[in-house]
Amino acid sequence: MLREMSTLYGRTPGGYVWAVAQPVGALVVLTVAFTILLRSPPLGNSFILFYASGYLPFTVYATVALTVQNAIQFSKQLLYYPAVSWLDAIIARFLLNLLTSITVMVIVLFGILHLTEASATLSPGPIVLSVLLAALVGLGIGTLNCLLTGLFSAWANVWSIITRPMILIAGVLFIYEHLPEWFQGYLWYTPWIHITGLSRSGVYATYDPTYISLTVVALWALVPLFFGLLLLRRFHKDILNR
């Protein structure tokens, strides 16, 4: 964890400031763009709070998934020491980036509520649950991708292309209820729309997303995690020797 902290944030001017600046910059761009296009956000009266309530949990998933995916490659030199295992590398990256993402989320939400005209009575339960579920899905998918990327180097590029429009279907820019019914049927089977809806229910007291299924999210997290860990135990030495 210390090695990753020094590598990712210790070698650039500003260090951890960029961890906060990146989501803030993305939210500002979204807010400016959609303020021009729309008269009011789908929920509440603040564009930046609406997009933050969906974007921040999504970044938890995206950050954890990407860093766990590259865990073995990132720590490859350390893994030649018997005292360090491939599982250590995955756990360390998962914990560090989860804690970083949570810290960034708290700072950004606090800043929005105190530095802008946005107002909300936050309910911590749904927000915390959405963050933990987002991290768990990121861990599961990241672990499976860690295996696939290690065995097939082209998989990282393929996955990047496949998931490029992910933010468009994750419910960051809209709410589930405003979509056509046929499209709702497809999105219901993806975990991100449930995570986003759960997060927004903790930000907006009047929003009650009845479509949320924790079972769907759990399956997306635990199934790839199970197969990823099982196969990494079998093939991690092959990955290290490539």
Side-chain angles (χ1 to χ4, degrees):
M1 291 174 70
L2 291 173
R3 177 174 177 267
E4 179 161 341
M5 289 172 65
S6 62
T7 301
L8 293 181
Y9 302 106
R11 297 180 180 178
T12 58
Y16 266 97
V17 172
W18 294 109
V20 178
Q22 289 174 357
V24 169
L27 289 173
V28 169
V29 171
L30 287 174
T31 300
V32 172
F34 284 93
T35 299
I36 297 172
L37 297 175
L38 302 175
R39 298 180 63 181
S40 61
L43 292 173
N45 56 7
S46 170
F47 278 96
I48 194 168
L49 181 61
F50 174 77
Y51 294 123
S53 65
Y55 182 74
L56 293 175
F58 178 75
T59 58
V60 174
Y61 154 77
T63 301
V64 170
L66 181 60
T67 52
V68 170
Q69 174 182 315
N70 298 321
I72 290 182
Q73 294 297 328
F74 179 82
S75 302
K76 197 169 186 178
Q77 295 179 343
L78 287 178
L79 297 183
Y80 288 112
Y81 293 94
V84 184
S85 73
W86 59 271
L87 190 57
D88 295 328
I90 289 177
I91 293 174
R93 289 207 117 191
F94 170 70
L95 290 177
L96 176 61
N97 287 281
L98 172 59
L99 293 175
T100 302
S101 297
I102 291 175
T103 304
V104 169
M105 188 171 181
V106 170
I107 292 172
V108 173
L109 282 178
F110 180 86
I112 290 174
L113 293 176
H114 287 80
L115 300 178
T116 71
E117 297 180 355
S119 61
T121 303
L122 302 183
S123 178
I127 297 175
V128 171
L129 182 58
S130 70
V131 170
L132 294 178
L133 290 174
L136 189 60
V137 173
L139 175 62
I141 293 178
T143 301
L144 184 59
N145 281 339
C146 183
L147 167 78
L148 295 175
T149 302
L151 295 178
F152 313 101
S153 57
W155 175 250
N157 294 327
V158 173
W159 181 252
S160 177
I161 294 172
I162 293 174
T163 57
R164 193 66 60 85
M166 188 72 71
I167 194 172
L168 298 178
I169 66 173
V172 174
L173 307 179
F174 53 82
I175 58 174
Y176 180 81
E177 291 82 357
H178 287 181
L179 298 173
E181 289 189 7
W182 65 270
F183 197 34
Q184 290 181 7
Y186 291 111
L187 283 189
W188 189 86
Y189 292 99
T190 66
W192 304 281
I193 196 72
H194 300 274
I195 292 170
T196 304
L198 186 62
S199 173
R200 288 203 167 114
S201 69
V203 175
Y204 300 97
T206 57
Y207 183 55
D208 182 23
T210 57
Y211 64 87
I212 291 177
S213 171
L214 300 183
T215 302
V216 171
V217 181
L219 287 174
W220 271 87
L222 298 180
V223 171
L225 180 61
F226 171 77
F227 285 105
L229 292 176
L230 181 68
L231 295 174
L232 275 174
R233 183 181 179 185
R234 166 65 179 81
F235 292 108
H236 71 276
K237 291 183 179 179
D238 296 338
I239 295 173
L240 289 175
N241 293 328
R242 284 177 176 267

